[in-house]
Every structure is written in structure tokens, then in C-alpha cells.
Amino acid sequence: MIVGGLDIAILLASLMVGAVPILLAALGETVVERSGVLNLGVEGMMIIGAVTGFIAAVTLENAVAGFIAGALCGAAFSLIFAALTQVFQANQVATGLALTLFGIGVSSLAGQGYNGIKPPVTGAVPLGLLRDIPFLGPMLFRHDWVVYFSLFMVFATWFVLNRTRAGLIIRAVGENHEAAHALGYKVNRIRLLCILFGGAMAGMGGAYVSLVRVPQWTDNMTNGVGWIALAIVVFASWRPGRVLFGAWLFGGLMVLGPNLQAAGYAIPVEYLSMAPYVITIIVLVIMSSGRGRSLGAPASLGQNFHASR
Amino acid sequence: MQRRNLLATAAFGLGLALSGGSAMAQGLEKVKACFIYVGPIGDGGWTYQHHQGALALTEAYGDKVEIAWQESVPEGADAERAITQFALDGCNIIFTTSFGFMDATNAVAAQFPDIKFEHATGFKRDQPNVSTYDARFYEGRAVMGTIAGHMTKSNKIGYIGSYPIPEVIQGINASFIHAKKVNPDVTMSVVWAYTWFDPAKEADAAKALIDQGVDVILQHTDSTAPLAEAQKVEGVIGFGQASDMAAYKPSPRVSAIIDNWAPYYVKRVGALLDGTYEQSAAWEGIAGGEVEIGEITDAVPADVKAAAEKMRDDIAAGTYHPFTGPLNKQDGSAWLAEGEVADDGALATMNFYVEGITGEIPK
């Protein structure tokens, strides 16, 4: 199907691939924020995942090992945030920002000597005949495993948050940590686990940038994707299903720019480059205008908990 | 400044002593050559090649040359700070290796008249101590365009542009003219990345072109990301840019335009050492050895390879100029008459597409 010189199936396929890093990171952050923690260090955890995933994949000559390493190191890096905010009760906003700045610096140091190297290839999952279905084949069935994993994680996150006891506890901690504490839940321990999950997802999203999307290592290569992921969580009212929608919208805007140019449309590049950020601002303004509570923000978001009783 | 004069005087004195009083040119005994890079040395392309040129200096002159460099200096205001830093650090000659450093180079040069400045790919020599040097990349593009025209099956070739400046537009036009010459059905799509080095953006641009059915990609950006993207799709080829990018041989990288800056750097620093240095505007091409054509791999049929090599040799011999008439501008108006050759002035300010390229050059 070709509309206006653009093959829609291929465009949608690129969009799905382009959205993976945002989607993974935003899903992780959704869980973190649902537990009442605001971690602004997504960008930092992503870049750490990108560099460590790349180094592991190149050293071990195995792309899957790279993703695992990216997730592990992202989680380990988020431990810094967890220790500062959950143990030492530091301000979450300041700590998160510091985490991002620190992550960018450390990754640049760790990545010395890894510029211009080719990582092992992450190929498409062989889905046999499904590949050849008209329209749906090129759009849905020619992706690498991480794309399908990220979609599965949308479902898994939704299921755990909304249909399991663990999810209920996480939400309880995020809505009213005093009440959750009174019920006997270890608020800070639960939050720590959520932060680790968020770090792992962001790290894996970062590894996807350095191992599949680009694929090579350069300084600061996540280039603001972590911030978009943060915006999407708000945009999606902290719901996994809407996070998927948001990630595709933003991923779509990012791939649409070069595609329109390649198809010969004379659209100024600047407008397309700023479109995701302009939409973020518009969405935030609309969503925060008057409605307030109906946004669905966890009531204890950003507040530290100290068990005084 | 003081130190330089002191050294120069010392060298002069030494020269007098050694040559028994006969006059010698006032060269420097030791040169500190400094380089401002727009990307990281590990980009595997543009900056990597400049750094190879810098390393050639120490090889050629040993202890008489000290080199220093700064990587990933952004074009714009921060460049002036980086260049000034070098000027204060005792550099004798500073090479600024990207088009966007042009104004910053001239501004700093005005403040340090005793230091030599060399700006790559620019055209402003506002101060007597600013020289410019460039390479005729469009000659290499003509060879790549020939290969592209032969190799494309979809008759669509793509070009990843960095910024809409004359150097890039020369490359687009030269590629298209020579692809069209061997394959009249060829069309070209241009995607502007607005960066010299951003692997993520370059990969996105390459992916978009491939999605649009392009099967030959030419890039005017510095990283290997477009080749990595081409490698993911069967039947898509590309070319090494600025450096050989041999890691992607034999396909998707079927050939390359290699910038060889070493001879120029060795010559200029040598002139500073022996005192014959003068302001200049260098623009060498295949003949001068600054532009080299990387090995054409076996992914290219023998007859295409032969055609490309003939083009290279004809340009080197001076019997063929890539911009030879009849050529029309994009709007159909005449540019070069039959047999007429574009002069350097017209090339250095080129701001239009030739006939047959669709799309507009962003303003």
C-alpha cells in the first residue's frame, strides 16, 4: 500500500523498530513511577546500557549477551539512585538529574576505544511464511526478537500492574505509602525493586540503540531518547497500553522526517525534528489543564518515605 | 608569541653558526602542530583521516614536531574557545578541519598574527595568517556515480547530505551527472541530516532511503552507520566516505573516496620548519593524491570496475573534468555549453542542482 509516495507497511515497520528504545525505557519508568518514585535518570541509565551492552556484545561476540549485560548494568546503575533516595532520603529530582549527567560522562569514558567497531548482528526472527503475507508480512513479521520482546513486555507490565497481587502492592505503595506501610509492606524495599526493574528496562532500551538501531558506539548516542520516554509516561497517564501508543507516535515522528525527505517532500527538517518535543509540551499542557487528579498520577509520586513509626 | 620569537631567533643563530654566516630563511626549530576535529578520531571516516595526516607529521619529522588535538569540537561558538585555547598553548600552526570552523578560525587568527591557521574546506582567508586547503572530492564522486549508475537495479540512488554547502552540492551533482551518463533512467533522492557526525541520524537517513527503494547509497557524513544500515538489507550497496571503511568490504562497501591529508600536512609543517611558509589556498584532487579511490571490490562486475578506473585515470591525467558541458541547471537554464568546463570559482560557490535532480536545496 503506497500513499503519497510512502509505502505504509514499511513506514509502520520502521516506526515499530524506531519506537523500541523509547518503549522499553518508558515501560520501566511507568512501573517506577507507579510505585511512587520519580526517577529522572532514564537517559543516564539508557546510555549506560548502550555502552555496556555494546562492549559485552563485541567482547563476547554475542548480541543477546549484549542485551543482558545492558539490562544488568542499567539495573546496577539505578542502584545508585535507589541508595541515595531510598536509604539516604535524598531529593529524587536532583538525584535523577545527577544520574543522567553522571551516566553520560561514565559511558563516554567506558566507551573509549570502542568507536567505529561493528557489533554482532541481531537478525530478524525467522517466521517463515508469515513474512510473505501481503502488507502484514513486511509490517509485523520481519523484526528482530527485541521488538517482539518489547511488545510482550507491554502486556506483561499491564498484567502485573493490574491483575496481580504484586501489582496491587506496587500501586498501593505509590498511592499512599503511609497506608501501605501500616499494612505491613516494606515500602522502600518494594520501591527499590521497582527502581531496579526500571534500570534494567532502560539499559536494555539503550543497548537496542547501540546494537540494532545505529549499530555502533558513539558518545551521547541516546541523544535525548530517555527524556522522551519520561514524557511519554505522563502522556500515557501511567498506563502501559497508552505507553505503547505514545512510543509509536513519537517513534513515528522520528522516522517520518527522513522518509518524507527521501520521498521528495520539501518539508523543512527543523519542523519535523522539533515535532516530538512540541507535541510533548502540548500534551502536557492539555492534560494538566484543570483536570488535575484525573490525570492518574500516583498520589505519592516523588515523595520519599521514612518509616517513623 | 614570545617563546616562538625566542625559538626562531635561536634557530636563526644556530643556522648562522652552522652555515658559517651565510643567510638562511628564518624557519622554526620545533613546530607544535595542533588539530581541531569535528568528530571523534574513532569515527572511521573524516576525522580519522585527518588524524592519520597528523600522525604522518611525527613520522616525517620526529622530534621536530609535536602534535596536539581536540576531538568532537562543535561547530559554532565553542569552536572559537577551543582554537583560542590552542593558540594560548603555544601551537605554531593550527589546523581546523571542518567547514563550520571558518568564521571562528578567522576570528582567532586576527588575535594571534604570529600563529599560522589552516582551515579545511573553507574559502575565507580574511587574515594574512589564514590559509585554506580542500580536496576535490567531486572527482571521487564522479567515479562513485559511475559505479552507482551501473549497479542500481531499482534505478534509485540516494545521497545523505550533511549541510547544504557548495562542497556537498558539488558531490550531489557530480554523482548524479555520472550515474545518469551510464544509466539514463536513474533518479536521485537526497536526505539532509544536518550533521557531520551523528550515527543515529545517519542510520535513520539511510534506512529511510532504503525504505523508499534506493539500492545505492552515497553519503556525505562521517560515520560508518549508513554502511551498517545498508548491510542489513540484501542487495543494497554504499561507498566508504573520507576513509576506506574497509570493515564493510566486499559489500555493502564496494569502493570508497579516501581523503589523504598527510602530504599536505607534511608539506605545510615542513615549510614552517624551513622558513618557506606562505599563505595559500590549496585544492588538490585525484592527480595531487589528496583524493584516492579505495579498492573496487569483486561485488562490482569487471566491466563496471574498468569504467570506473578509466574515469579515475582520465581525471588524474587531466583529460576529463567531471563538470564538462553540456550541462543545464535544475530549472532547465543553460549552465555549461558543449565542451565548456566549470571554473573553480563557480564550483566553490555552487548552490544549484543540475537538471534531472528533483527536490530543492534547503535554504
Side-chain angles (χ1 to χ4, degrees), chain B residues 5 7 10 15 52 72 94 96 119 124 133 149 154 183 196 203 229 243 246 282 288 311-312 317 334 348:
Chain B
N5 286 339
L7 284 174
Q52 293 304 305
S72 301
I94 300 174
T96 55
H119 177 234
K124 275 192 192 165
Y133 61 107
S154 64
N183 180 351
W196 287 112
E229 200 61 42
S243 187
M311 170 80 62
R312 178 193 65 193

Side-chain angles (χ1 to χ4, degrees), chain A residues 45-46 73 90 95 102 107 123-124 127 142 144 150 160 169 185 187 189 200 210 225 244 253 261 273:
Chain A
M45 300 185 298
M46 283 188 90
C73 293
T95 311
F102 182 51
S107 65
L127 288 172
R142 296 184 186 178
D144 54 77
S150 67
V160 170
I169 296 170
Y185 294 118
V187 172
R189 198 175 300 170
S210 64
V225 168
L244 176 66
L253 283 170
Q261 275 201 65
S273 311

Side-chain angles (χ1 to χ4, degrees), chain B residues 102-139:
Chain B
M102 182 156 66
D103 291 328
T105 305
N106 280 284
V108 179
Q111 297 169 42
F112 297 93
D114 289 341
I115 299 174
K116 307 298 179 199
F117 292 83
E118 297 261 352
H119 177 234
T121 72
F123 52 79
K124 275 192 192 165
R125 291 173 296 277
D126 294 349
Q127 310 298 330
N129 54 335
V130 177
S131 296
T132 57
Y133 61 107
D134 200 350
R136 296 179 187 270
F137 306 114
Y138 65 85
E139 297 185 349

Side-chain angles (χ1 to χ4, degrees), chain A residues 77-92:
Chain A
F77 193 66
S78 70
L79 260 185
I80 300 174
F81 177 84
L84 285 169
T85 59
Q86 303 307 304
V87 180
F88 300 113
Q89 304 283 316
N91 180 294
Q92 292 180 9

Side-chain angles (χ1 to χ4, degrees), chain B residues 143-160:
Chain B
V143 180
M144 302 302 123
T146 306
I147 299 174
H150 279 293
M151 294 293 286
T152 178
K153 294 186 179 64
S154 64
N155 291 330
K156 287 181 180 173
I157 58 179
Y159 200 106
I160 303 174

Side-chain angles (χ1 to χ4, degrees), chain A residues 33-281:
Chain A
E33 295 194 10
R34 269 303 192 67
S35 77
V37 178
L38 182 63
N39 185 353
L40 295 180
V42 179
E43 177 82 4
M45 300 185 298
M46 283 188 90
I47 194 87
I48 289 288
V51 72
T52 53
F54 188 83
I55 293 173
V58 168
T59 315
L60 303 172
E61 291 173 7
N62 183 336
V64 179
F67 282 105
I68 295 171
L72 288 178
C73 293
F77 193 66
S78 70
L79 260 185
I80 300 174
F81 177 84
L84 285 169
T85 59
Q86 303 307 304
V87 180
F88 300 113
Q89 304 283 316
N91 180 294
Q92 292 180 9
V93 172
T95 311
L97 292 174
L99 200 69
T100 290
L101 296 173
F102 182 51
I104 291 171
V106 169
S107 65
S108 177
L109 181 67
Q112 292 287 329
Y114 285 92
N115 286 322
I117 297 178
K118 272 200 298 186
V121 176
T122 305
V125 179
L127 288 172
L129 290 174
L130 287 176
R131 291 172 65 89
D132 301 325
I133 303 173
F135 193 73
L136 290 180
M139 179 181 147
L140 294 176
F141 300 118
R142 296 184 186 178
H143 295 302
D144 54 77
W145 67 270
V146 191
V147 174
Y148 301 116
F149 174 81
S150 67
L151 294 176
F152 167 76
M153 285 309 288
V154 175
F155 171 77
T157 313
W158 170 82
F159 185 81
V160 170
L161 278 179
N162 296 309
R163 292 288 183 274
T164 65
R165 187 171 173 77
L168 192 63
I169 296 170
I170 291 173
R171 284 185 289 144
V173 166
E175 288 298 335
N176 190 335
H177 49 213
E178 297 287 356
H181 175 67
L183 286 171
Y185 294 118
K186 308 279 187 212
V187 172
N188 287 347
R189 198 175 300 170
I190 289 160
R191 285 182 172 170
L192 170 82
L193 292 174
C194 289
I195 292 169
L196 286 179
F197 174 75
M201 292 290 276
M204 194 165 175
Y208 192 77
V209 177
S210 64
L211 291 176
V212 179
R213 263 201 79 214
V214 176
Q216 49 180 257
W217 166 253
T218 38
D219 287 0
N220 200 12
M221 72 182 306
T222 49
N223 210 0
V225 168
W227 297 110
I228 294 185
L230 269 169
I232 285 175
V233 177
V234 182
F235 173 81
S237 325
W238 295 269
R239 292 179 199 175
R242 293 195 194 170
V243 165
L244 176 66
F245 174 72
W248 279 357
L249 181 68
F250 283 74
L253 283 170
M254 290 193 321
V255 297
L256 196 60
N259 269 289
L260 283 176
Q261 275 201 65
Y265 287 93
I267 293 178
V269 189
E270 297 82 357
Y271 293 111
L272 286 164
S273 311
M274 71 174 155
Y277 306 97
V278 171
I279 291 184
T280 305
I281 294 171

Side-chain angles (χ1 to χ4, degrees), chain A residues 5-7 10-11 13-14 17 112 115-119 121 209 212-219 221 223 254-255 258-264 266 269-270 273, chain B residues 40-44 71-72 189-194 197-201 203-205 207-209 211-212 223-225 228-229 231-232 247-248 359-360 362-363:
Chain A
L6 293 167
D7 187 325
I10 289 179
L11 193 66
S14 315
V17 173
Q112 292 287 329
N115 286 322
I117 297 178
K118 272 200 298 186
V121 176
V209 177
V212 179
R213 263 201 79 214
V214 176
Q216 49 180 257
W217 166 253
T218 38
D219 287 0
M221 72 182 306
N223 210 0
M254 290 193 321
V255 297
N259 269 289
L260 283 176
Q261 275 201 65
V269 189
E270 297 82 357
S273 311
Chain B
I41 292 167
D43 68 354
E71 295 174 77
S72 301
S189 309
V190 182
V191 172
W192 296 97
Y194 280 94
F197 180 79
D198 183 341
K201 270 192 190 158
D204 281 350
K207 186 163 172 40
L209 286 167
D211 288 351
Q212 290 299 316
S223 87
T224 52
E229 200 61 42
Q231 195 169 36
K232 291 182 191 167
Y248 293 89
E360 280 173 46
K363 292 291 179 294

